[in-house]
Amino acid sequence: MEEARNELPTPRDRDRGRGSDRDRGPGRDRDAGERSGSRERSGPAPEPIRFYGTTWVDRSGGYAARRAGLALAAFSAAALGVLVLRLAHEGLALAETGGLINILLIVAFAMCSSLAFSRTWAGYTRRPERPEGHGPGATASAAPSSQGIKLIGFLGVLLAYGVRSLVEAPGERLHRTEYEQAVALYERRRGARTGNPAARRARKGRKR
């Protein structure tokens, strides 16, 4: 009997346990509420761009230097690619594969580079359409044919990136448009939730 009484919690232990629960429970709820409230107040976050992060929003954090450096890198890589293609063409000429094959290769590279330039440039201003028979996350740029064209016509991809970097961060206009639309939608929804306090009180008065 004495051992059973010793195992039972005393009133002081029960009060201490309730006190610890009171200290712990509301604090957690308050922290969770503050985190959710901060997320609601912050609104939509801008989508980062490769090599730029979110510096494109206010064009700070070395935005101009990044644009200049990436444009120079893209043009340098394109020049190096032209040199490699020239060496490959000279190798085919030495192998005497025939003039027709050389012409076909030149035309193929020129067409792929042109298509790659136009598709890459278009991708900086609008979202690519989803191809038929693919899932919701699939895009036309992710199709095997499009990837193959961009791989063969890599010169067009590099030139498009370099030229676009002279104007803005590649994809900045698209990201900025989507971000501004998301902010405007968030503000409208927030205003609809908040509403007009005077009108809300008037509706409550009419219900009464």
Side-chain angles (χ1 to χ4, degrees):
M1 294 294 292
E2 292 180 357
E3 293 179 356
R5 283 197 299 271
N6 292 333
E7 291 177 357
L8 292 175
T10 63
R12 181 179 299 175
D13 295 335
R14 288 196 295 269
D15 293 339
R16 187 183 299 114
R18 285 195 295 268
S20 61
D21 292 339
R22 285 195 301 269
D23 294 338
R24 185 171 57 252
R28 290 183 177 178
D29 296 340
R30 185 168 53 254
D31 294 340
E34 290 177 356
R35 287 194 296 268
S36 62
S38 62
R39 285 195 297 268
E40 291 179 359
R41 288 193 298 269
S42 59
E47 183 179 355
I49 298 177
R50 183 179 298 179
F51 304 124
Y52 290 90
T54 57
T55 59
W56 58 269
V57 178
D58 54 359
R59 298 189 173 184
S60 62
Y63 169 85
R66 296 187 191 193
R67 271 181 51 196
L70 290 170
L72 181 60
F75 289 135
S76 300
L80 182 60
V82 171
L83 179 60
V84 171
L85 290 178
R86 180 177 177 82
L87 293 176
H89 180 265
E90 291 179 355
L92 291 175
L94 292 176
E96 297 180 354
T97 55
L100 180 60
I101 295 178
N102 292 338
I103 293 175
L104 290 177
L105 287 176
I106 293 174
V107 171
F109 273 108
M111 291 181 62
C112 288
S113 297
S114 177
L115 289 174
F117 182 93
S118 61
R119 293 186 180 185
T120 303
W121 188 271
Y124 294 146
T125 56
R126 65 176 183 271
R127 293 288 182 186
E129 298 179 357
R130 187 180 66 186
E132 297 182 359
H134 289 73
T139 57
S141 60
S145 59
S146 179
Q147 294 293 332
I149 290 175
K150 289 185 177 181
L151 182 62
I152 298 173
F154 65 96
L155 290 179
V157 176
L158 293 172
L159 290 175
Y161 190 91
V163 174
R164 194 69 187 182
S165 297
L166 298 177
V167 181
E168 62 178 10
E172 178 182 345
R173 180 180 298 178
L174 176 62
H175 285 69
R176 190 176 298 279
T177 301
E178 294 178 347
Y179 176 63
E180 290 176 353
Q181 291 176 353
V183 171
L185 180 60
Y186 168 78
E187 292 295 337
R188 287 198 300 268
R189 290 179 176 176
R190 184 180 179 184
R193 287 196 303 267
T194 304
N196 188 350
R200 200 160 52 239
R201 287 195 296 267
R203 285 196 298 271
K204 290 182 179 179
R206 284 197 298 270
K207 289 180 180 179
R208 292 177 184 176

